[in-house]
Amino acid sequence: MIDHQFIINKFGFLGSDFFDEMQKHAIIDTIKAKTEIIREGQKIRYVPFLIKGSIKVYSLNDGRELIYYYVRPDDSCLMTFASIFGDYTSKVYAIAEEDSEVLLIPASVLHNWLIRFPEINKLFYHEYDKRFTDVMNMVNEAVFHRLDKRILSYVKQQISLTGNNPIKLTHREIASNLGTSREVVSRVLKKMENEGEVVQTRDGIQILANENVRTI
């Protein structure tokens, strides 16, 4: 069933004719946590708009992940959106970080809408601005920040995404997402624990109250 309120909030500025088109072509789908949505080289059939949940967009190099950004509720995946201007082939991987609900628009239909409803380009530029900022932040962290700061930032980011503190994260998962080894992550987290920045328990990794959790 189409979420009318989501469509109105996201696309209402495009008018009633667009709303009618959305009713004809868009579908709602649910995606279980840890389900791969798209992989590099696959043909893109749909452009997703996230209603609830979280989606991680990343690339792989020698089995290690490089995270570009997270798609959050009310957002779309810029790199999927951008593919409709080319060969409809994905250049990234995307996976649902948690149970998610998405509005799916066929890529070929959206391509046609760009001509019929040119104001939809505002959505593209808005997504571009947000994703460009995310990627620049990622590059700055990778180049200029020490690994301990990157690990702390990543844990805070996951807490902000899920609302869980402590949060269930394995050392291997953190290492994969930050392009390092599990042993290095374990050593850094132990050092941070000794310095009173985090606590590690059976329930996960907890950021202590004196550490601000960044809202993303």
Side-chain angles (χ1 to χ4, degrees):
M1 181 177 179
I2 297 294
D3 188 325
H4 290 185
Q5 192 58 51
F6 177 81
I7 293 176
I8 291 171
N9 293 343
K10 186 73 177 178
F11 304 99
F13 70 96
L14 292 167
S16 59
D17 287 345
F18 185 85
F19 185 85
D20 292 340
E21 286 286 314
M22 186 71 76
Q23 296 300 307
K24 292 178 185 177
H25 298 286
I27 60 175
I28 296 288
D29 194 14
T30 55
I31 305 171
K32 291 292 185 181
K34 305 307 177 184
T35 300
E36 185 178 79
I37 299 170
I38 193 73
R39 61 175 38 236
E40 184 180 358
Q42 275 189 329
K43 287 293 184 180
I44 293 172
R45 297 173 56 207
Y46 296 95
V47 174
F49 290 85
L50 190 63
I51 298 173
K52 64 181 179 180
S54 174
I55 296 173
K56 178 175 67 177
V57 180
Y58 62 99
S59 63
L60 281 176
N61 187 5
D62 292 330
R64 293 184 176 181
E65 295 180 4
L66 177 63
I67 300 173
Y68 291 128
Y69 52 82
Y70 288 89
V71 180
R72 298 176 287 272
D74 202 38
D75 289 348
S76 181
C77 176
L78 173 69
M79 300 186 86
T80 302
F81 207 146
S83 73
I84 67 177
F85 299 102
D87 58 2
Y88 292 81
T89 299
S90 176
K91 296 178 175 60
V92 296
Y93 294 81
I95 187 171
E97 284 285 276
E98 54 187 317
D99 291 348
S100 300
E101 185 176 8
V102 293
L103 175 77
L104 299 174
I105 301 175
S108 57
V109 171
L110 185 56
H111 199 173
N112 177 262
W113 285 351
L114 289 171
I115 299 172
R116 295 180 56 198
F117 304 95
E119 284 200 342
I120 203 173
N121 283 288
K122 291 180 180 178
L123 289 177
F124 176 78
Y125 293 125
H126 182 59
E127 293 297 326
Y128 175 84
D129 181 61
K130 287 191 291 185
R131 297 292 81 87
F132 181 77
T133 299
D134 287 342
V135 171
M136 288 302 297
N137 288 337
M138 178 271 295
V139 171
N140 286 334
E141 286 202 352
V143 173
F144 298 113
H145 291 185
R146 299 197 320 265
L147 185 58
D148 58 345
K149 298 300 182 185
R150 293 176 59 204
I151 291 174
L152 187 61
S153 176
Y154 176 78
V155 175
K156 289 179 179 180
Q157 183 184 58
Q158 297 307 303
I159 290 171
S160 292
L161 281 168
T162 64
N164 298 326
N165 185 24
I167 185 169
K168 286 281 191 181
L169 289 171
T170 67
H171 293 187
R172 187 176 300 280
E173 180 182 355
I174 296 172
S176 176
N177 285 327
L178 296 182
T180 185
S181 68
R182 180 187 60 79
E183 292 79 10
V184 170
V185 170
S186 297
R187 185 169 65 250
V188 170
L189 281 172
K190 186 61 177 177
K191 176 177 179 289
M192 291 165 62
E193 189 171 27
N194 291 337
E195 294 175 350
E197 294 183 281
V198 302
V199 172
Q200 300 184 84
T201 68
R202 292 181 180 179
D203 295 324
I205 302 172
Q206 180 180 3
I207 300 294
L208 298 181
N210 62 342
E211 286 288 336
N212 293 325
V213 176
R214 177 168 61 93
T215 301
I216 64 174

